[in-house]
Amino acid sequence: MQKIPASILIQTKNEEASIEKCVAALRDFDEIIVVDSNSTDRTAELAAASGATVINFTWNGEYPQKKQWQLEHAPTRNPWILFLDADEYPSRELVEEIAAIVSDPLERRVAFDIPISYHFAGKVLKHGHRVVKRSLLKRGYNHYEDTGLLKLPVMTELEVHYQPEARGDVGRTEGLLAHHDLDPVRTWFDRHNRYSDWEAYIHADPAMRRTVRSSKSLQGQRFDVVPFKPLAFWVYSYVVRRGFLDGRAGLDYAVALATYYWQIGLKTRELKRNGWRLADHA
């Protein structure tokens, strides 16, 4: 069977629990490249044994970060790139949709936002809030802008929570990208505690917040300006988006994300109270 003419770029760092399943789910694609950040476990070894090409990435603390570096330097042989984490894999519907997109010589869109099917607390969530990521990109038409975020004291090597800028039309897929995190739920809270630090620094600086907002999805831009965000998000996710239909996991997820937004607000107020400004740390 002819392979789908797209290159997969998988971001990894100590992902030995997930990487084999991730690579196996991508067998229909022409090229799979794992971009590993100096893993200390068997991630690189298992990825190579599964048939992926493995390249190493060491961040120097400056622009570009990991995804933009790949857009500039990863040796892909296809014009279309699908960015994935090791705990993500495309549904069969999404695989077929991507195949049609990248094989169409008349396709004029240069990037696609992909909705995420989230796995939380042992259950696939079919309702509630759905995250959307701009993960399918045509090379040469997309880039992660240097927004000045690297001046923040909590930045890491990977661009998170903001989207690449597209030089052209952007579409949205119907098919879903499955996010199946095999780590214990405490790691979700560990990550989001770090994310809330990052978001708080951004929210404490009005100019930076406007810059980052402009690089988010339309959904993210709208939600960024919603007042009483923890309560508003809980109502939106659990009631409006019918998260209650997912049972206890739906309730837990809505509460967890509402708590995340509460953390952002609490940390932002503390930074403002202490007079923190990005310009003072540039």
Side-chain angles (χ1 to χ4, degrees):
M1 185 177 99
Q2 186 175 2
K3 298 287 188 178
I4 299 171
S7 297
I8 311 296
L9 291 174
I10 307 172
Q11 327 303 308
T12 62
K13 183 177 178 64
N14 295 331
E15 296 283 359
E16 65 178 8
S18 303
I19 191 60
E20 290 177 295
K21 181 178 180 181
C22 179
V23 173
L26 302 167
R27 60 186 178 275
D28 294 328
F29 291 88
D30 173 60
E31 184 177 39
I32 304 171
I33 300 176
V34 169
V35 185
D36 188 63
S37 298
N38 301 294
S39 289
T40 56
D41 64 6
R42 299 175 63 221
T43 298
E45 174 188 345
L46 295 174
S50 299
T53 299
V54 179
I55 61 177
N56 195 67
F57 172 77
T58 301
W59 187 42
N60 63 5
E62 300 176 358
Y63 180 84
Q65 292 165 272
K66 193 172 184 177
K67 289 184 178 179
Q68 178 60 27
W69 181 88
Q70 291 169 77
L71 289 176
E72 295 175 5
H73 301 291
T76 54
R77 59 176 176 249
N78 296 289
W80 283 96
I81 291 171
L82 178 64
F83 277 116
L84 294 179
D85 296 333
D87 54 10
E88 296 175 336
Y89 54 91
S91 65
R92 174 47 49 184
E93 294 76 15
L94 181 58
V95 169
E96 294 173 356
E97 192 172 356
I98 291 174
I101 290 169
V102 303
S103 300
D104 184 358
L106 299 180
E107 178 60 67
R108 293 293 179 260
R109 291 165 292 185
V110 300
F112 283 82
D113 295 339
I114 303 179
I116 307 297
S117 173
Y118 207 77
H119 186 279
F120 186 78
K123 183 174 181 177
V124 175
L125 302 179
K126 298 181 179 179
H127 307 278
H129 172 65
R130 194 176 292 285
V131 174
V132 176
K133 293 172 65 175
R134 186 164 299 167
S135 299
L136 182 62
L137 309 176
K138 193 169 187 179
R139 194 162 191 167
Y141 293 87
N142 296 272
H143 73 282
Y144 290 85
E145 187 177 352
D146 182 3
T147 59
L149 290 174
L150 295 178
K151 300 172 185 176
L152 299 180
V154 292
M155 285 304 295
T156 63
E157 66 173 23
L158 192 63
E159 301 91 335
V160 293
H161 293 191
Y162 66 101
Q163 310 282 1
E165 295 288 327
R167 187 161 49 87
D169 294 336
V170 177
R172 174 167 170 155
T173 66
E174 294 293 330
L176 305 179
L177 187 64
H179 179 105
H180 191 170
D181 190 349
L182 298 176
D183 293 330
V185 72
R186 64 173 172 77
T187 64
W188 187 95
F189 289 99
D190 291 342
R191 288 196 306 274
H192 282 75
N193 187 42
R194 296 193 300 271
Y195 294 160
S196 65
D197 288 343
W198 181 76
E199 291 278 6
Y201 278 109
I202 292 171
H203 282 63
D205 188 283
M208 177 62 70
R209 185 175 183 180
R210 288 192 296 270
T211 298
V212 173
R213 181 191 302 151
S214 68
S215 66
K216 290 186 175 184
S217 65
L218 182 59
Q219 173 180 282
Q221 291 180 38
R222 289 170 175 169
F223 194 67
D224 186 66
V225 297
V226 171
F228 306 110
K229 198 166 295 179
L231 177 60
F233 181 85
W234 188 89
V235 172
Y236 170 75
S237 181
Y238 194 65
V239 180
V240 177
R241 298 288 299 175
R242 301 185 299 170
F244 60 86
L245 294 177
D246 287 319
R248 182 55 186 264
L251 174 62
D252 289 340
Y253 184 63
V255 170
L257 273 181
T259 302
Y260 167 62
Y261 289 114
W262 168 79
Q263 282 185 287
I264 294 171
L266 181 63
K267 292 176 179 180
T268 300
R269 290 190 292 275
E270 180 181 57
L271 288 170
K272 288 182 175 180
R273 189 167 60 249
N274 293 335
W276 188 91
R277 294 189 315 153
L278 180 63
D280 296 334
H281 300 265

